[in-house]
Short mmCIF file of all heavy atoms in Angstrom, two decimals:
data_model
loop_
_atom_site.label_atom_id
_atom_site.label_comp_id
_atom_site.label_asym_id
_atom_site.label_seq_id
_atom_site.Cartn_x
_atom_site.Cartn_y
_atom_site.Cartn_z
N ARG A 243 -2.43 -9.88 -20.74
CA ARG A 243 -3.83 -9.67 -20.37
C ARG A 243 -4.02 -10.24 -18.96
O ARG A 243 -3.79 -11.43 -18.72
CB ARG A 243 -4.72 -10.41 -21.36
CG ARG A 243 -6.18 -10.04 -21.28
CD ARG A 243 -6.48 -8.75 -22.00
NE ARG A 243 -7.93 -8.56 -22.15
CZ ARG A 243 -8.53 -7.40 -22.05
NH1 ARG A 243 -7.82 -6.31 -21.80
NH2 ARG A 243 -9.83 -7.29 -22.22
N PHE A 244 -4.44 -9.41 -18.02
CA PHE A 244 -4.49 -9.84 -16.63
C PHE A 244 -5.48 -8.99 -15.85
O PHE A 244 -5.89 -7.91 -16.28
CB PHE A 244 -3.10 -9.75 -15.98
CG PHE A 244 -2.43 -8.40 -16.16
CD1 PHE A 244 -2.62 -7.38 -15.25
CD2 PHE A 244 -1.61 -8.18 -17.27
CE1 PHE A 244 -2.01 -6.15 -15.43
CE2 PHE A 244 -1.00 -6.94 -17.46
CZ PHE A 244 -1.19 -5.92 -16.54
N VAL A 245 -5.86 -9.51 -14.70
CA VAL A 245 -6.66 -8.75 -13.74
C VAL A 245 -5.70 -7.96 -12.86
O VAL A 245 -4.68 -8.49 -12.41
CB VAL A 245 -7.53 -9.69 -12.88
CG1 VAL A 245 -8.29 -8.89 -11.81
CG2 VAL A 245 -8.49 -10.48 -13.75
N LEU A 246 -6.02 -6.70 -12.61
CA LEU A 246 -5.15 -5.85 -11.80
C LEU A 246 -5.96 -5.32 -10.61
O LEU A 246 -7.08 -4.82 -10.78
CB LEU A 246 -4.63 -4.68 -12.63
CG LEU A 246 -3.67 -3.71 -11.93
CD1 LEU A 246 -2.40 -4.42 -11.45
CD2 LEU A 246 -3.30 -2.55 -12.87
N GLY A 247 -5.39 -5.46 -9.42
CA GLY A 247 -6.07 -4.99 -8.22
C GLY A 247 -5.12 -4.27 -7.29
O GLY A 247 -3.90 -4.45 -7.35
N GLY A 248 -5.69 -3.46 -6.40
CA GLY A 248 -4.85 -2.75 -5.45
C GLY A 248 -5.63 -2.24 -4.27
O GLY A 248 -6.84 -2.01 -4.34
N ASN A 249 -4.92 -2.08 -3.16
CA ASN A 249 -5.47 -1.55 -1.92
C ASN A 249 -4.92 -0.16 -1.67
O ASN A 249 -3.71 0.07 -1.84
CB ASN A 249 -5.10 -2.48 -0.75
CG ASN A 249 -5.44 -1.90 0.61
OD1 ASN A 249 -4.58 -1.75 1.47
ND2 ASN A 249 -6.70 -1.56 0.82
N SER A 250 -5.79 0.79 -1.29
CA SER A 250 -5.37 2.12 -0.90
C SER A 250 -4.56 2.78 -2.03
O SER A 250 -5.05 2.88 -3.16
CB SER A 250 -4.56 2.04 0.40
OG SER A 250 -4.38 3.32 0.96
N MET A 251 -3.33 3.21 -1.78
CA MET A 251 -2.50 3.79 -2.82
C MET A 251 -2.35 2.84 -4.00
O MET A 251 -2.30 3.27 -5.17
CB MET A 251 -1.13 4.15 -2.24
CG MET A 251 -0.18 4.82 -3.23
SD MET A 251 1.44 5.14 -2.50
CE MET A 251 2.15 3.48 -2.52
N GLY A 252 -2.28 1.54 -3.73
CA GLY A 252 -2.18 0.55 -4.79
C GLY A 252 -3.43 0.50 -5.65
O GLY A 252 -3.36 0.14 -6.84
N GLY A 253 -4.59 0.87 -5.07
CA GLY A 253 -5.79 0.99 -5.88
C GLY A 253 -5.69 2.15 -6.85
O GLY A 253 -6.16 2.06 -8.00
N GLY A 254 -5.07 3.25 -6.39
CA GLY A 254 -4.82 4.37 -7.29
C GLY A 254 -3.87 3.98 -8.42
O GLY A 254 -4.06 4.38 -9.58
N VAL A 255 -2.85 3.20 -8.09
CA VAL A 255 -1.95 2.69 -9.12
C VAL A 255 -2.73 1.84 -10.13
O VAL A 255 -2.50 1.91 -11.34
CB VAL A 255 -0.81 1.86 -8.49
CG1 VAL A 255 0.05 1.20 -9.57
CG2 VAL A 255 0.05 2.74 -7.59
N THR A 256 -3.70 1.08 -9.63
CA THR A 256 -4.48 0.18 -10.48
C THR A 256 -5.25 0.94 -11.54
O THR A 256 -5.16 0.65 -12.74
CB THR A 256 -5.44 -0.66 -9.62
OG1 THR A 256 -4.67 -1.51 -8.76
CG2 THR A 256 -6.36 -1.50 -10.47
N TRP A 257 -6.06 1.93 -11.12
CA TRP A 257 -6.86 2.62 -12.15
C TRP A 257 -6.01 3.50 -13.04
O TRP A 257 -6.33 3.68 -14.22
CB TRP A 257 -8.05 3.37 -11.54
CG TRP A 257 -7.82 4.42 -10.51
CD1 TRP A 257 -8.00 4.32 -9.16
CD2 TRP A 257 -7.42 5.78 -10.73
NE1 TRP A 257 -7.73 5.51 -8.53
CE2 TRP A 257 -7.39 6.44 -9.47
CE3 TRP A 257 -7.10 6.53 -11.88
CZ2 TRP A 257 -7.03 7.78 -9.32
CZ3 TRP A 257 -6.74 7.87 -11.74
CH2 TRP A 257 -6.70 8.47 -10.47
N ARG A 258 -4.91 4.03 -12.53
CA ARG A 258 -4.03 4.80 -13.40
C ARG A 258 -3.37 3.91 -14.45
O ARG A 258 -3.24 4.28 -15.63
CB ARG A 258 -2.96 5.51 -12.57
CG ARG A 258 -3.48 6.69 -11.75
CD ARG A 258 -2.35 7.45 -11.08
NE ARG A 258 -2.86 8.56 -10.28
CZ ARG A 258 -3.19 8.48 -9.00
NH1 ARG A 258 -3.05 7.32 -8.36
NH2 ARG A 258 -3.66 9.54 -8.35
#
Side-chain angles (χ1 to χ4, degrees):
R243 193 80 168 143
F244 51 90
V245 176
L246 182 61
N249 171 238
S250 192
M251 182 183 76
V255 174
T256 296
W257 58 257
R258 288 187 181 90

